[in-house]
Amino acid sequence: MTAVLQLEIQRPGHEAQIHAIEHGIYPTGAEQGNKIIIPDSGVEPRHAILIFRPDGFYVEDLNSKAGTFLNEAPVRGRAVFRAGDIIRVGNCRLILRLPDQAVPPSAVFPPLPATTAPSPHDVLDQQLHTEKSLIKKQIHTELLERLDIKRLTAAHIKEADLHERTLQAIEQIVQEVRERLPAWIDPAALTKEIFDESVGLGPLEDLLADPDVTEIMVNRNDQVYVEKHGKLEMSDRVFMDDSSVLAIIERIVAPIGRRIDESQPYVDARLKDGSRVNAIIPPLALNGPCLTIRKFSKNVLTMPELIQLGTLASEMADFLRLCVLLRKNIVVSGGTGSGKTTFLNVMGSFLPDTDRIVTIEDSAELRLPQTHVVRLESRPPNMEGRGAVTIRDLLRNALRMRPDRIVIGECRGGESLDMLQAMNTGHDGSMTTAHANSPRDVIARLETMTLMSGVELPSRAIREQIASAIHLVVQTTRLSDGTRKVSHITEISGLEGDRITMQDLFTFTQTGLDHNGLVLGRFEATGSVPTFIEEIKIRGLSLAMSIFDTRKWKH
C-alpha cells in the first residue's frame, strides 16, 4: 500500500531518516513504547504527540521540561502544523512531507507502526481513546499539583467538601484548556469522567447507577463487560490504563480495612451499597488488574416479587415460610450467580421479629428487615499475616451471644462442622448457602467441607450430623435465558445404612424454549409429603395439603 505521508527525522550528527506514515496518533519520545522513538539525550521518554488526521495535523507537548517547538515557537497545548513546518523535539527536527514532496523510495525507511485493528471503526475508536487518555492524564497531573487529594483525605476533610473542591478544580482546568480540546470531546462529559476517576469509581460510576446492570466485569483496562437481564455484553467503558484500574480497586478496599498488593494480590470487598467486589492484580492476573462487581438491588427483593418474576410458585413460597416458622434448618444451594444470597435474604425476611438473629458473612451483604439483628463480618490477615478472623471464629463466638437464629452467608470450609453442631445443639432454625449443582451434591459438599475442619471423623458420623441437622435444601438454578428459578425444594428425611435419604417435594421442569429463546417450563409437586407435616398442625399453623397433590399442579 502506498504511504499517504512521509516524516523526515533529522538528528545532529546522523543521516536524516524518512519514514512512511499513515493517519493516526503517534506518541513521540526516547523510550520504547512510543510510535516515534528518537534516541537522543535531549528527548524525554514521553516528549510529545503527533496527530495526523484527514482534517489536519496537530502537535502537542506532553509537559516536557525542554519543551516542543513549532517553527521555533514553543507549543502551548495543541498546535496545528502544515507540511514543511519544522517541529523541534530536543535537538532533533521533524518535518512532514506530502506525497508530491516525497523522496525516492530507496531512501525511505520502514513505515512507522500505526494503530492497527480488524476494522476502520476499531482503528478510529482506539485512536480516539488514546488521544482522550493523553488529555485526561495531563489534566490529572495538573489536578494533583493544584489539589493534593491524598493529603486532604488524610486530613479527614469531610467527603462532601473534598468532592466540592475537586470538582471546582477540574472545572477550572477544563475551562482553561477548552479552546484546545478536539471538537469531538464534550467538556462537561470530560469533567465528569475526570471527577469520577479522582474521587469515585471512574468509568464504572454510570454502570453502577444503571438499574439494568447486575454485574460488572473489568477484564483489563480497555475491556469491561456487564451483565444485563442475565446476558453478558461488552460495554463502551474504558480506563486510561492499568494504574487507573488499580487506583479504583484501592479506593474500594481501603475504607473497609482491606489491602491489595503483591504480597496479597487478591481481595474480597464490598461497596457502600452492599455490592460484592472481587479484585485480583498482577502477577496473578496476566492481563492487568481484574475487577468483578456483583451489584445488589437498592430495593431489596421480596417474596411476592420473586413469585411475580417466576422464580418460584406461590405455593412453594408459603411452604418455605412455614418451614422457617417451624425452625427448620435450611441450606440454599446453587451455582455461581444463581441467586443464592438473594434468596437467602428473602428467606430471612420470614424470621420472626421476636428472635435474636446473628448473621455471619465474609462480606456483609445480607439486609434483613428485622430490628434485632447482629451483623458480623470476617477479617483478613494484616500485612504481617496476623489478625485474621474467620467465619469459623465468628460462628464459635456467635454461640456465646444467645442467638435464636444464626444465618451464615456461605459455608465453604471447616466452619461447616461448627454449623452442623450448632444446629444439633439447640440453635435450630438456622440458614446458610453452599455451592452445589443439585440437592444430592449438597450432601457431598457438606461432607467434604466438614473434613476440611481438621477434625478426623468417620464418614458415617459426618452423615449422621448432616441428616439430623439439615432439614431442607432449596436449589436455585440459573437457566440459559438468564432467569433464575428454584429448581428443587428437597427434604432430607433421614439415614438408611450409610446413605442419607432425600425426597423432592417441589421441582421445576423445563419443557423447551420459545421463539425468543426464553425458557418454558412449570413448577410442580412430586406427590411426596414432608415427614414433619404433623408439626405444622401441632404448632397451630395451617397449610393446604392440596399443594402436595400432583393433580393440582397440572391444571
Side-chain angles (χ1 to χ4, degrees), residues 353-367:
D353 286 322
T354 55
D355 285 357
R356 176 175 170 84
I357 305 165
V358 178
T359 67
I360 304 173
E361 302 172 83
D362 264 331
S363 181
E365 301 168 4
L366 296 174
R367 291 175 286 180

Side-chain angles (χ1 to χ4, degrees), residues 168-205:
Q168 289 177 350
I170 295 171
E171 288 176 339
Q172 182 178 356
I173 297 171
V174 172
Q175 186 63 33
E176 292 172 2
V177 301
R178 184 166 186 166
E179 293 182 358
R180 303 197 300 270
L181 290 176
W184 56 270
I185 291 182
D186 179 8
L190 180 65
T191 299
K192 181 182 183 304
E193 290 179 22
I194 297 175
F195 175 77
D196 288 342
E197 290 172 1
S198 300
V199 298
L201 299 184
L204 306 183
E205 287 286 350

Side-chain angles (χ1 to χ4, degrees), residues 246 249 253 258-269 277-285 290 380-381 412:
L246 187 58
I249 294 173
V253 303
R258 307 209 172 184
R259 65 186 178 91
I260 186 165
D261 50 41
E262 288 190 3
S263 63
Q264 180 64 42
Y266 56 88
V267 66
D268 288 318
V277 178
N278 175 268
I280 184 167
I281 64 174
L284 301 187
C290 181
R412 61 181 63 164

